Amino acid sequence: MSIPPRRYKVFLADDSALVREKLRGLFSTLPAIEICGEAANAVDAIVAIQSTAADAVVLDLDLGATSGLDVLRAVKRVAAAPVVIILSIHPFGDFGEHSLREGADHYFEKGENFDVILDVLERLSLRGAQPAN
């Protein structure tokens, strides 16, 4: 009997419930992806990401009164840090460059790059697929 591949766990951190809903719908088309949690602010996101052992985080820079950069810094401090995909309303420019310097693995603008995120997650999930323990 073969062991099924492990599902790739993705955490959503965005203050917009509508954006999180859209992402859940898009990611549901990828059978290897599992949404392991969601948060609308930085404090909740940091705690939940660490407890879910997410493989990847789709992270908004604007989390209400808190900053996605705080989440980015916190999750990238651990040894088995997840892949962090920034999804922001801000054009790449200074925001993107700063995010990448802080440890983000990818930076995309909202509205025009949702399909690109699907491609990235599909590639990551295929690379990260391994037998469940």
Side-chain angles (χ1 to χ4, degrees):
M1 177 165 77
S2 67
I3 298 173
R6 177 177 82 75
R7 293 188 62 173
Y8 195 77
K9 297 189 301 184
V10 178
F11 190 92
L12 306 177
D14 196 299
D15 63 334
S16 169
L18 291 174
V19 170
R20 292 192 315 271
E21 181 179 341
K22 180 175 182 167
L23 291 172
R24 274 193 314 274
L26 285 171
F27 298 166
S28 71
T29 65
L30 299 175
I33 299 295
E34 171 189 339
I35 303 299
C36 64
E38 299 180 20
N41 64 64
V43 174
D44 292 345
I46 292 167
V47 170
I49 291 165
Q50 292 169 346
S51 69
T52 61
D55 297 304
V57 177
V58 177
L59 175 64
D60 186 10
L61 288 180
D62 298 318
L63 295 174
T66 58
S67 172
L69 288 175
D70 295 330
V71 177
L72 174 62
R73 290 180 194 116
V75 301
K76 285 299 190 173
R77 274 188 236 148
V78 299
V83 171
V84 176
I85 301 167
I86 301 289
L87 182 61
S88 178
I89 61 168
H90 303 289
F92 181 81
D94 291 340
F95 287 100
E97 291 173 11
H98 185 71
S99 297
L100 294 175
R101 278 194 308 272
E102 290 286 337
D105 298 284
H106 303 275
Y107 188 100
F108 301 111
E109 292 178 45
K110 285 182 182 175
E112 53 189 59
N113 289 302
F114 284 97
D115 291 337
V116 176
I117 293 174
L118 276 178
D119 293 340
V120 168
L121 284 176
E122 186 170 36
R123 281 195 321 269
L124 289 169
S125 68
L126 291 173
R127 188 174 359 145
Q130 52 194 350
N133 292 334

